[in-house]
Amino acid sequence: MKINDIDLRRWKEYEEIWTDSLWIIPSRDNSGMHTPEYHGNFVPQIPRQAMLRFTRRGEWVLDSFAGLGTTLIEARRLGRNAVGIEINEEIAKKALQLVKNEENPYKVTTKLIVGDAAAKSTYQGLGKFQLVILHPPYWDIIKFSNKKGDLSNATTLNEFLEGFKRVVELSSKHLDKNRYLVLVIGDKYSEGEWIPLGFYTMRVIMELGFKLKSIVVKNIEENRGKRGQRALWRYRALKDGYYIFKHEYVMFFVKEKNK
Ligand SMILES: C[S@@+](CC[C@H](N)C(=O)[O-])C[C@H]1O[C@@H](n2cnc3c(N)ncnc32)[C@H](O)[C@@H]1O
């Protein structure tokens, strides 16, 4: 079964596709309808790399935390059909507008469902997907909305992980066997302690029958606000004995069992 459009006889020609586990991305791709405006969106290069390696043109991609639609916009460019789920209708509305304004050269279908990705009813009528991308809130680091069900409102780590587990369970029901699920997440620092959200969520996915294929470490670009505070962060780090976050994870899993 072929899971991408790479012709291995010409493998030297695919320079655009990354194969190393350290991704230093110098700047975000802000071309077309991509915008850095949403605090908490990922750089388009992440879904792009995932789709190029783990889908074929015309296949279906599900992004269960769609945000401002980065995956959906990128999917249009690459000729992949895509469905996004987003709990915050204001953001979903904006995302839909951006997606509509992005050219659609391959005439693919792009849909955005406003709903809770941890609720079964949200997935009603959806078919099968060949790639699932999950970029959840990093627990409560950024509060995305006041909505009940928004994972950034979870009051405990356990509640966050339970909600996340539900999203993985429901999303993966729609993922074909032997296809990829991609998790993009960072850790959290709270009350003097590093909370390894990346590893906790990785474990949730593995316990649901997925095989871990890769952990990629991606750099965090400093936004302008943070740059101004660099000295303060450095002082705090030196004083309190920790390291300042400069990385996030992009983890790749394969669905082994048909749960
Ligand atoms: C880290 S952001 C994703 C950003 C996205 N990758 C982008 O580039 O715009 C997480 C998103 O998940 C949404 N969210 C939180 N809980 C959710 C849930 N239970 N179901 C669906 N969306 C949810 C938030 O509103 C937020 O937009």
Side-chain angles (χ1 to χ4, degrees):
M1 180 191 52
K2 234 174 130 17
I3 61 163
N4 55 40
D5 290 323
I6 298 169
D7 176 356
L8 284 176
R9 287 167 305 183
R10 297 168 38 213
W11 65 275
K12 287 186 181 160
E13 294 171 25
Y14 297 96
E15 275 174 22
E16 196 205 346
I17 297 179
W18 305 336
T19 46
D20 291 337
S21 68
L22 181 61
W23 291 3
I24 307 290
I25 305 174
S27 59
R28 80 173 276 127
D29 169 12
N30 282 329
S31 61
M33 285 301 120
H34 285 309
T35 161
E37 161 195 332
Y38 192 39
H39 186 42
N41 61 6
F42 54 25
V43 298
Q45 289 96 326
I46 293 177
R48 182 177 186 86
Q49 288 295 322
M51 285 187 269
L52 283 173
R53 271 201 84 181
F54 303 118
T55 57
R56 309 192 68 175
R57 192 167 287 166
E59 287 191 327
W60 285 83
V61 178
L62 173 66
D63 182 338
S64 308
F65 301 97
L68 209 49
T70 313
T71 299
L72 305 184
I73 292 169
E74 206 53 37
R76 280 206 164 195
R77 294 186 184 182
L78 293 174
R80 274 66 171 166
N81 302 290
V83 176
I85 301 173
E86 173 54 51
I87 202 164
N88 183 343
E89 60 255 49
E90 261 172 61
I91 290 302
K93 228 190 249 171
K94 279 192 190 172
L96 207 56
Q97 203 49 54
L98 292 172
V99 171
K100 275 191 187 148
N101 290 342
E102 177 72 29
E103 280 175 39
N104 189 8
Y106 300 102
K107 305 278 175 274
V108 290
T109 304
T110 328
K111 280 192 206 150
L112 192 49
I113 300 169
V114 181
D116 181 353
K120 202 172 168 191
S121 55
T122 306
Y123 298 76
Q124 228 166 19
L126 289 183
K128 283 288 191 176
F129 292 84
Q130 288 71 49
L131 176 70
V132 168
I133 297 182
L134 300 179
H135 183 211
Y138 304 173
W139 185 8
D140 53 358
I141 290 187
I142 300 173
K143 202 171 152 54
F144 285 102
S145 71
N146 291 318
K147 294 257 169 222
K148 193 171 160 281
D150 181 331
L151 290 188
S152 66
N153 291 326
T155 50
T156 62
L157 175 61
N158 235 4
E159 196 187 309
F160 168 74
L161 292 173
E162 278 301 316
F164 176 74
K165 181 178 175 193
R166 193 81 194 115
V167 176
V168 178
E169 274 172 338
L170 290 168
S171 305
S172 66
K173 279 209 170 84
H174 292 267
L175 178 64
D176 278 342
K177 201 172 164 226
N178 296 322
R179 301 305 294 258
Y180 277 70
L181 178 147
V182 182
L183 168 68
V184 183
I185 194 159
D187 294 329
K188 168 184 152 96
Y189 197 77
S190 170
E191 294 175 11
E193 189 177 356
W194 190 293
I195 318 285
L197 297 178
F199 297 115
Y200 287 137
T201 46
M202 173 185 84
R203 196 166 162 174
V204 166
I205 296 173
M206 291 170 78
E207 284 176 354
L208 287 170
F210 281 80
K211 184 203 271 185
L212 177 66
K213 292 290 284 186
S214 281
I215 299 179
V216 164
V217 171
K218 175 211 157 273
N219 68 313
I220 297 179
E221 307 147 61
E222 269 179 88
N223 57 38
R224 253 174 258 133
K226 253 201 171 160
R227 222 174 286 154
Q229 294 184 344
R230 189 189 288 162
L232 180 61
W233 279 105
R234 188 165 152 71
Y235 172 77
R236 282 190 192 146
L238 285 169
K239 180 164 92 46
D240 294 337
Y242 67 92
Y243 292 88
I244 305 159
F245 290 118
K246 281 292 280 186
H247 72 281
E248 292 167 314
Y249 307 103
V250 187
M251 298 187 190
F252 296 84
F253 305 84
V254 161
K255 177 171 166 177
E256 291 218 293
K257 298 186 193 114
N258 249 335
K259 279 213 168 189

